[in-house]
Amino acid sequence: MAAGLGVLRTALVIVAYCIVGNALTIVNKIVMLHYPYPNVVVLLQCIVTIGLVRFGERFLPQITGEVKPLEWPLIKVWIWLTILFFVMLLSSMYALETVTVPTIIVVRNLATLVTTVFDVTFLKTKITAGEVVTLFAILGGAVYYGYKDINFHIVGYCWLAVNVFATSGYQVYVKRLVAVTKFNSSTMTYYNNTLCLPFLFVGAQIENEFEYLGAFFATSGYVQILTWVSTVLGFAMSITGFLLNHEISATSIMVVNNSNKFALIFINEFLIAHTQTLQSGMACAMVMAAAAVYSYLRMKGK
């Protein structure tokens, strides 16, 4: 009975994480098309997330649990993860300004490869020959996709490369910190978003984004609503992401995160723009299929 409930809990967390992640990607893409100031947008997302965490601690403690206050010994341990979190968020937003959603999905699958390397190197995870073959298939498909991408943008791809390494490092490092700090998901969300604020303020200042705050209120009501929706989705993404880290391995998280993107690609093609040629679509399918096979092999080996 307990085992069955555990499987159900894991399944529900995975489903929630996928739905929220897909929605956040689409909403962020639309927001970046109309209000391309990523530091300010992420700053708003972090501030709302902090407020929602505090609200939950005050009025829904049975759900959120206790939120540990900021303490210097814990900050010193957590700050390096926050830096990865900051780089991961900003690189994704900057990439969304210049590349398509399918491109982000395909290239992010390389994070599965990089995360596996980190897993094997630092967490001593075992890997089979079949898994190695599927990882090379992901790599080959991603390279061919980039070659055939009709919307290729070198700056966007550079930001995606930064995102891949930041995401991979984050997924592996957070597993180690969870074991050390014993933080619950609310405390981890609170620390990540609070410690991000100084970096985002500096980034917005350097990019002169505060000068364009007034432009936000000049955008359509539709964009303003989506921006605020993105702040709530950012909070939900933080919570479900940390819950997922308690449930499955770092590499499995990357597989879950990328394998469900089939639906997101179709949503993007219908809601935002048609961006795929036959060749790029085939490469995209190859990457997605290889990720699915890799996921199956990982589950089979456990």
Side-chain angles (χ1 to χ4, degrees), residues 216-227:
F216 171 72
F217 297 101
T219 60
S220 67
Y222 168 69
V223 174
Q224 292 181 40
I225 290 172
L226 283 182
T227 302

Side-chain angles (χ1 to χ4, degrees), residues 45-54 64 66-68 70 78 81-82 85 89 170 174 178 181 183-197 231-243 245-246:
Q45 291 175 348
C46 287
I47 290 172
V48 171
T49 295
I50 293 167
L52 289 173
V53 169
R54 283 304 189 186
T64 61
E66 180 187 4
V67 178
K68 291 186 178 181
L70 293 173
W78 202 263
L81 184 70
T82 299
F85 179 73
L89 291 182
Y170 180 88
V174 73
V178 165
T181 61
F183 282 179
N184 60 24
S185 58
S186 296
T187 299
M188 287 187 260
T189 300
Y190 177 67
Y191 264 69
N192 254 1
N193 287 273
T194 302
L195 296 180
C196 252
L197 295 181
T231 64
V232 177
L233 289 173
F235 165 73
M237 189 68 180
S238 294
I239 295 294
T240 56
F242 282 127
L243 287 174
N245 271 292
H246 282 286

Side-chain angles (χ1 to χ4, degrees), residues 4 16 101 120-121 151-152 203 215 249 266 299:
V101 170
V120 172
T121 303
N151 299 293
F152 182 87
S249 72
F266 286 116
M299 293 173 63

Side-chain angles (χ1 to χ4, degrees), residues 50-198:
I50 293 167
L52 289 173
V53 169
R54 283 304 189 186
F55 177 87
E57 181 190 26
R58 178 76 179 272
F59 297 103
L60 300 167
Q62 69 276 15
I63 297 176
T64 61
E66 180 187 4
V67 178
K68 291 186 178 181
L70 293 173
E71 298 176 354
W72 181 242
L74 293 174
I75 291 174
K76 288 192 295 184
V77 172
W78 202 263
I79 190 65
W80 301 109
L81 184 70
T82 299
I83 292 172
L84 287 173
F85 179 73
F86 166 75
V87 173
M88 183 174 68
L89 291 182
L90 261 294
S91 59
S92 178
M93 296 294 270
Y94 277 115
L96 280 169
E97 290 186 52
T98 52
V99 300
T100 64
V101 170
T103 297
I104 288 178
I105 292 166
V106 169
V107 177
R108 274 183 178 171
N109 270 282
L110 293 176
T112 303
L113 173 61
V114 177
T115 302
T116 301
V117 173
F118 288 167
D119 267 346
V120 172
T121 303
F122 299 109
L123 301 181
K124 308 304 178 184
T125 303
K126 302 297 182 182
I127 184 170
T128 66
E131 291 165 2
V132 172
V133 171
T134 58
L135 288 172
F136 274 106
I138 291 173
L139 176 61
V143 171
Y144 185 69
Y145 178 91
Y147 177 68
K148 291 295 183 180
D149 186 4
I150 60 175
N151 299 293
F152 182 87
H153 194 291
I154 186 62
V155 174
Y157 271 79
C158 287
W159 279 119
L160 282 177
V162 172
N163 182 263
V164 164
F165 283 97
T167 302
S168 301
Y170 180 88
Q171 291 292 351
V172 174
Y173 193 32
V174 73
K175 297 292 289 187
R176 301 180 69 176
L177 284 191
V178 165
V180 171
T181 61
K182 308 298 183 184
F183 282 179
N184 60 24
S185 58
S186 296
T187 299
M188 287 187 260
T189 300
Y190 177 67
Y191 264 69
N192 254 1
N193 287 273
T194 302
L195 296 180
C196 252
L197 295 181

Side-chain angles (χ1 to χ4, degrees), residues 14 17-19 22 104-106 108-112 134 138 244 248 251-266 284-299:
I14 290 173
Y17 178 79
C18 290
I19 292 174
N22 288 351
I104 288 178
I105 292 166
V106 169
R108 274 183 178 171
N109 270 282
L110 293 176
T112 303
T134 58
I138 291 173
L244 202 62
I248 58 179
T251 301
S252 296
I253 289 172
M254 295 308 306
V255 172
V256 166
N257 194 36
N258 290 302
S259 296
N260 87 97
K261 299 305 193 228
F262 273 116
L264 182 54
I265 290 174
F266 286 116
C284 182
M286 177 181 173
V287 172
M288 297 293 107
V293 172
Y294 179 84
S295 177
Y296 169 76
L297 292 174
R298 293 293 293 174
M299 293 173 63

